[in-house]
Amino acid sequence: MHKLYDFMEARERVGTVIVKTKLIHSNVFSEEAGNDVYIKPENLQVTGSFKVRGAYNKMSKLTEEEKKKGVIASSAGNHAQGVALAAQKLGIKAVIVMPKHTPLIKVEATKKYGAEVILSGEVYDEAYQKALELQEKEGYVFIHPFNDEDVIEGQGTIALEVLEELPDTDIVMVPLGGGGLISGVAAAAKLKNPQIKIIGVEPEGAASAKASIDKDEVVELKETSTIADGAAVKKIGNIDFDYIKKYVDEIITVSDYELMEAFLLLVEKHKIVAENAGILSIAGLKKLKDKNKKVISILSGGNIDVLTISSMINKGLVVRGRIFKFSVDLPDKPGQLVAVSQILAKENANVIRLDHNQFKNLDRFHEVELQVTVETNGEEHIKKIIESFKKEGYVVKRLNSRETMEE
């Protein structure tokens, strides 16, 4: 376990390669959470995530002999780029093993920093095994993404920056995957100020740290299911488990829907784009029992592809009740579309799409189904629209609530 000066020395080491990310005060998340919320935007790091801190700290501490051997890592994303950049800065050969189906954009980003990329295995675990084989065969130094004291030490530098900028911080919210980030942040923050509360935020479908703490031993999940792929870890590190037990006050979990909602607000209100695992701590803000505290949410990364961004925005709009899709059965006679349009116009709902289907209700010969998609201002607005239709004798069936998305 580290002492405070270890983190301070690490900060000196990583200072030459990282961006010192400044806190961003958030009115919108402060209001939603009932706390004074600040975002620590690690998505603005050179490689798009915090991972470069731990990788560089670890690799800069290698002996000259180890540096000559070169390093190897397995990763499908952020760790790969962190190791590759650190290797480039330190003049070390880096080999990164990535699963075969890693998006090309991530492969190219890693190669851009001069690393040799080997595509192997269908899933991360198979890529990891390949990396271990190559380490054995070629004598490379293995750089683990989270289960490593020097990597943990590098990640802890985030806490020192936060407390320098906002010394009276009450709570730090940290995304939790393998456990490296929260281990470093929790240890450094508590060593600096033991009164600070550290809360980890995990995806509901990959809550390996919560399962481990509940059982008081490292637990391996049978499977993971979450859109936060960067935190979809079946088993946290055993070193990280010890840190979490000692320094972390609470672990909360969030659903994919809560992530979609947080993503939309972050894009819309702050013009910040982040990856799904990166916003775990933002999605967790609503679940804080504490109120009127100074809260830091670490936004851990921003490496997300454009198609996923589009999907997250659309689903976020549905979850927030900003897009309302419904169907209504109409008598098959002229003037019905005009009547529907008038109700929507009166309620200031902006029509995005209309589907008029005469053949949907074959069992009810004299009716047609109209499917309508409108833009709204949220759930209260949707209730008013449904009420207006009811008054005019129409029955509305909602097609895109969170419940229908789950079906």
Side-chain angles (χ1 to χ4, degrees), residues 97-108:
V97 186
M98 303 177 101
K100 283 178 193 167
H101 304 297
T102 301
L104 197 59
I105 190 166
K106 290 185 177 180
V107 175
E108 291 306 316

Side-chain angles (χ1 to χ4, degrees), residues 72-75 95-100 116-140 142:
I72 191 163
S74 55
S75 167
V95 179
I96 315 286
V97 186
M98 303 177 101
K100 283 178 193 167
E116 179 191 332
V117 174
I118 294 170
L119 297 175
S120 178
E122 296 300 312
V123 292
Y124 171 75
D125 291 330
E126 290 172 13
Y128 174 64
Q129 287 308 318
K130 179 70 175 174
L132 292 180
E133 279 170 36
L134 288 168
Q135 177 203 17
E136 190 74 31
K137 189 180 164 195
E138 306 290 343
Y140 299 128
F142 190 84

Side-chain angles (χ1 to χ4, degrees), residues 176-177 202-224 233-236 241 244-245 250-253:
L176 214 171
E202 275 190 304
E204 272 177 12
S208 54
K210 198 170 194 316
S212 299
I213 291 297
D214 289 348
K215 240 190 157 184
D216 200 25
E217 64 181 21
V218 177
V219 169
E220 182 166 3
L221 303 177
K222 286 188 178 72
E223 58 180 5
T224 61
V233 176
K234 286 183 183 176
K235 184 181 173 184
I236 59 168
F241 176 67
I244 291 167
K245 264 182 76 170
E250 190 185 348
I251 296 170
I252 58 179
T253 60

Side-chain angles (χ1 to χ4, degrees), residues 101-400:
H101 304 297
T102 301
L104 197 59
I105 190 166
K106 290 185 177 180
V107 175
E108 291 306 316
T110 307
K111 283 181 177 173
K112 188 181 76 184
Y113 295 117
E116 179 191 332
V117 174
I118 294 170
L119 297 175
S120 178
E122 296 300 312
V123 292
Y124 171 75
D125 291 330
E126 290 172 13
Y128 174 64
Q129 287 308 318
K130 179 70 175 174
L132 292 180
E133 279 170 36
L134 288 168
Q135 177 203 17
E136 190 74 31
K137 189 180 164 195
E138 306 290 343
Y140 299 128
V141 177
F142 190 84
I143 310 295
H144 198 281
F146 50 83
N147 200 37
D148 182 288
E149 289 284 6
D150 293 328
V151 169
I152 287 168
E153 188 181 85
Q155 318 307 20
T157 58
I158 292 173
L160 299 187
E161 285 177 24
V162 164
L163 294 178
E164 185 179 84
E165 211 178 330
L166 198 73
D168 55 344
T169 297
D170 296 304
I171 299 168
V172 184
M173 307 277 286
V174 192
L176 214 171
L181 175 61
I182 198 166
S183 295
V185 167
K190 292 269 191 180
L191 289 167
K192 192 104 169 124
N193 175 5
Q195 304 309 312
I196 283 182
K197 207 172 188 180
I198 307 292
I199 298 176
V201 189
E202 275 190 304
E204 272 177 12
S208 54
K210 198 170 194 316
S212 299
I213 291 297
D214 289 348
K215 240 190 157 184
D216 200 25
E217 64 181 21
V218 177
V219 169
E220 182 166 3
L221 303 177
K222 286 188 178 72
E223 58 180 5
T224 61
S225 174
T226 173
I227 57 170
D229 53 330
V233 176
K234 286 183 183 176
K235 184 181 173 184
I236 59 168
N238 60 312
I239 297 170
D240 305 297
F241 176 67
D242 292 338
Y243 274 90
I244 291 167
K245 264 182 76 170
K246 184 171 181 180
Y247 293 116
V248 175
D249 296 281
E250 190 185 348
I251 296 170
I252 58 179
T253 60
V254 293
S255 70
D256 284 354
Y257 297 102
E258 285 158 335
L259 286 170
M260 290 169 195
E261 195 174 350
F263 182 91
L264 179 70
L265 279 175
L266 203 57
V267 168
E268 191 174 36
K269 305 296 184 187
H270 284 289
K271 314 299 178 262
I272 292 174
V273 174
E275 64 194 86
N276 298 333
I279 53 174
L280 283 162
S281 63
I282 310 262
L285 284 165
K286 273 184 166 180
K287 298 194 167 178
L288 276 180
K289 296 179 193 85
D290 298 271
K291 297 296 167 202
N292 304 312
K293 302 286 185 190
K294 285 195 170 154
V295 181
I296 306 290
S297 266
I298 296 174
L299 204 166
S300 58
N303 291 317
I304 183 170
D305 66 273
V306 177
L307 286 174
T308 308
I309 292 171
S310 168
S311 169
M312 288 291 286
I313 289 172
N314 288 331
K315 286 173 178 169
L317 287 166
V318 171
V319 172
R320 292 288 289 184
R322 298 273 300 284
I323 285 181
F324 173 38
K325 188 176 179 183
F326 64 93
S327 71
V328 58
D329 289 336
L330 305 173
D332 192 6
K333 60 184 185 186
Q336 292 302 303
L337 270 179
V338 175
V340 168
S341 300
Q342 283 171 343
I343 294 168
L344 292 171
K346 193 182 76 171
E347 291 300 339
N348 290 321
N350 185 32
V351 178
I352 300 170
R353 183 172 174 166
L354 283 174
D355 287 311
H356 191 256
N357 192 340
Q358 278 184 295
F359 307 106
K360 187 85 175 175
N361 285 329
L362 292 175
D363 54 330
R364 298 168 73 180
F365 197 72
H366 297 294
E367 284 190 352
V368 294
E369 184 191 71
L370 182 69
Q371 284 193 1
V372 186
T373 307
V374 292
E375 244 182 308
T376 67
N377 297 325
E379 288 299 329
E380 285 306 310
H381 193 189
I382 288 171
K383 280 177 194 162
K384 284 177 76 178
I385 294 167
I386 292 170
E387 276 304 309
S388 287
F389 272 97
K390 228 184 226 172
K391 275 181 195 163
E392 299 297 329
Y394 296 104
V395 177
V396 164
K397 185 186 176 193
R398 188 167 183 173
L399 300 175
N400 74 339

